[in-house]
């Protein structure tokens, strides 16, 4: 006899035993409830979807012993466990680094560890017992959850441009990034020093050189394509502090030659027309002078004849 039939018979016996006891009570609706309960085993037994509680309990226990789980070796299971730990560590690092943005300088070590374990999982190299975990962990189902999880975090790393701020091997930040952070700390320290005094005009005067040097360094890094999201966000925040919070500004040196060239181009047509006018006046004088001289000589000749 199958387990399903046994459970059905037990349910019927329980209901039949409880029916007389309930009929002795004062509840007038007991016979109706008994009839409804008598209908339940038939539905549960015959339905391929709904199963009794006892049957469901045993089926859930059997799921952990399915032969398909034997396809994943202990070595691959260990790699999957390590991947989960490092994935959680990287996500826990990203969340506090979201604002202000420090995803590159704070989380490059945890991302390097995650990338290392994923490389081991996706590699063709055989592990202990000549076992490769790429097919069993990455390609065994349509969802490909391990690949999907890692690809999402890799998109964050790529979009942030962290490769421009982190040295090869995920050991440390690049020298350019470290130098920028040092210059940034100098400017922020100067801001904090004079901000406490409440005199923003003094802040604009004393911190002008350090802020100018920071801007020039940022411009060179921008030309060399060595910026990541950390440096971009830090510079944007610093510029907002300088211009909006402290109302500081300084004229750029490159505007002087621009103004000079613009002024020259503005007055160039005036100079051209003025020179043309003067030159034409000189030509008129030269043309009139010989005619006057000729007329005078002819007049003298006529007077000589008459005389």
């Amino acid at each position: 006899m199958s387990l399903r039939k046994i459970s059905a018979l037990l349910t019927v016996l329980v209901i039949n035993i409880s029916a007389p006891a309930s009929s002795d009570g004062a509840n007038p609706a007991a016979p109706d409830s008994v009839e409804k309960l008598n209908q339940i085993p038939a539905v549960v037994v015959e339905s391929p979807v709904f199963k009794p509680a006892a049957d469901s309990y045993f089926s859930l226990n059997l799921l952990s012993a399915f032969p398909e789980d034997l396809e994943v070796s202990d070595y691959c299971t260990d790699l999957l466990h390590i991947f989960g730990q490092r994935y959680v560590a990287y996500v826990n690092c990203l969340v506090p680094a979201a604002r202000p943005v420090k995803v590159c300088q704070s989380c490059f070590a945890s991302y390097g560890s995650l990338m290392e374990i994923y490389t081991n999982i996706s590699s063709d190299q055989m592990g202990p017992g000549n076992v490769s975990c790429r097919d069993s962990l990455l390609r065994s189902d349509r969802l490909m959850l391990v690949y999907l999880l890692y690809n999402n975090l890799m998109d964050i790393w790529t979009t942030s441009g962290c490769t421009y701020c982190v040295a090869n091997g995920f050991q440390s930040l690049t020298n350019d990034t470290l130098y920028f952070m040092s210059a940034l700390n100098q400017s922020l320290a100067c801001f904090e020093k004079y901000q406490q005094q409440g005199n923003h005009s003094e802040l604009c005067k004393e911190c002008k050189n350090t802020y100018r040097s920071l801007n020039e360094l940022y411009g060179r890094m921008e030309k060399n394509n060595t910026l990541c999201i950390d440096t971009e966000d830090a510079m944007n925040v610093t510029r907002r502090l300088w211009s909006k919070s402290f109302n500081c500004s300084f004229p750029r040196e490159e505007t002087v030659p621009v103004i000079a060239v613009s002024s020259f181009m503005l007055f160039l047509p005036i100079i051209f027309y003025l020179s043309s006018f003067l030159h034409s006046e000189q030509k008129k004088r030269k043309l009139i002078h010989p005619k006057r001289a000729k007329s005078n000589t002819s007049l003298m000749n006529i007077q000589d004849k008459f005389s």
Side-chain angles (χ1 to χ4, degrees):
M1 185 177 292
S2 64
L3 181 61
R4 181 178 299 177
K5 293 181 179 180
I6 294 172
S7 62
L9 291 175
L10 291 175
T11 306
V12 173
L13 289 174
V14 171
I15 294 173
N16 292 332
I17 292 172
S18 60
S22 60
S23 62
D24 295 337
N27 187 5
D32 296 336
S33 63
V34 171
E35 291 178 358
K36 293 180 180 179
L37 290 175
N38 287 331
Q39 296 176 0
I40 293 176
V43 175
V44 173
V45 172
E46 297 298 331
S47 176
V49 178
F50 299 98
K51 297 178 177 60
D55 193 19
S56 300
Y57 173 77
F58 288 111
S59 64
L60 289 176
N61 282 345
L62 289 175
L63 287 177
S64 61
F66 276 175
E68 286 78 6
D69 285 350
L70 297 177
E71 296 180 1
V72 181
S73 63
D74 294 338
Y75 172 70
C76 296
T77 303
D78 293 338
L79 289 182
L80 185 62
H81 180 67
I82 297 172
F83 175 83
Q85 290 178 337
R86 296 184 179 182
Y87 186 92
V88 172
Y90 183 52
V91 172
N92 289 336
C93 180
L94 287 177
V95 174
R99 189 77 263 163
V101 183
K102 296 181 180 180
V103 297
C104 300
Q105 57 182 314
S106 299
C107 304
F108 68 88
S110 57
Y111 178 78
S113 299
L114 179 65
M115 185 177 181
E116 180 184 4
I117 191 63
Y118 182 81
T119 302
N120 293 336
I121 293 175
S122 60
S123 176
D124 291 332
Q125 297 180 357
M126 297 297 178
N130 294 327
V131 175
S132 176
C133 301
R134 184 179 63 177
D135 294 334
S136 60
L137 296 182
L138 299 182
R139 302 178 179 177
S140 60
D141 55 78
R142 178 177 60 85
L143 181 59
M144 297 187 296
L145 183 59
V146 175
Y147 168 78
L148 188 64
L149 291 173
Y150 176 76
N151 194 51
N152 290 336
L153 294 186
M154 186 178 66
D155 289 342
I156 296 176
W157 180 267
T158 304
T159 306
S160 301
C162 293
T163 53
Y164 301 116
C165 290
V166 179
N168 294 332
F170 303 98
Q171 298 298 323
S172 64
L173 298 174
T174 60
N175 293 331
D176 292 340
T177 304
L178 292 174
Y179 188 72
F180 174 83
M181 293 300 176
S182 177
L184 176 66
N185 290 334
Q186 291 180 4
S187 295
L188 294 179
C190 185
F191 292 170
E192 184 178 2
K193 176 181 178 181
Y194 291 97
Q195 184 182 7
Q196 294 177 353
Q197 299 178 2
N199 190 355
H200 288 177
S201 60
E202 191 71 15
L203 183 148
C204 298
K205 178 181 178 182
E206 298 296 332
C207 302
K208 181 176 65 176
N209 293 331
T210 56
Y211 179 74
R212 187 193 300 273
S213 300
L214 180 65
N215 263 303
E216 293 175 354
L217 176 61
Y218 183 83
R220 292 194 299 268
M221 294 178 65
E222 189 174 15
K223 292 180 180 179
N224 297 332
N225 293 324
T226 57
L227 295 176
C228 62
I229 188 62
D230 292 16
T231 52
E232 292 175 5
D233 184 73
M235 193 67 220
N236 290 335
V237 172
T238 307
R239 285 174 173 173
R240 285 197 297 268
L241 288 174
W242 176 264
S243 60
K244 294 184 179 181
S245 299
F246 305 140
N247 294 324
C248 297
S249 62
F250 54 88
R252 294 185 176 182
E253 296 179 356
E254 58 267 22
T255 58
V256 176
V258 172
I259 295 175
V261 173
S262 301
S263 301
F264 175 76
M265 296 298 295
L266 180 64
F267 287 101
L268 186 61
I270 299 175
I271 297 173
F272 173 76
Y273 286 112
L274 182 61
S275 61
S276 299
F277 175 76
L278 295 176
H279 186 67
S280 61
E281 289 294 329
Q282 291 179 356
K283 283 187 176 181
K284 287 181 180 180
R285 291 177 181 177
K286 289 180 181 180
L287 291 174
I288 292 173
H289 181 70
K291 289 181 180 179
R292 289 179 177 178
K294 184 176 181 181
S295 60
N296 292 332
T297 54
S298 60
L299 182 61
M300 291 177 62
N301 292 332
I302 293 173
Q303 290 179 352
D304 293 338
K305 288 180 180 180
F306 282 106
S307 60

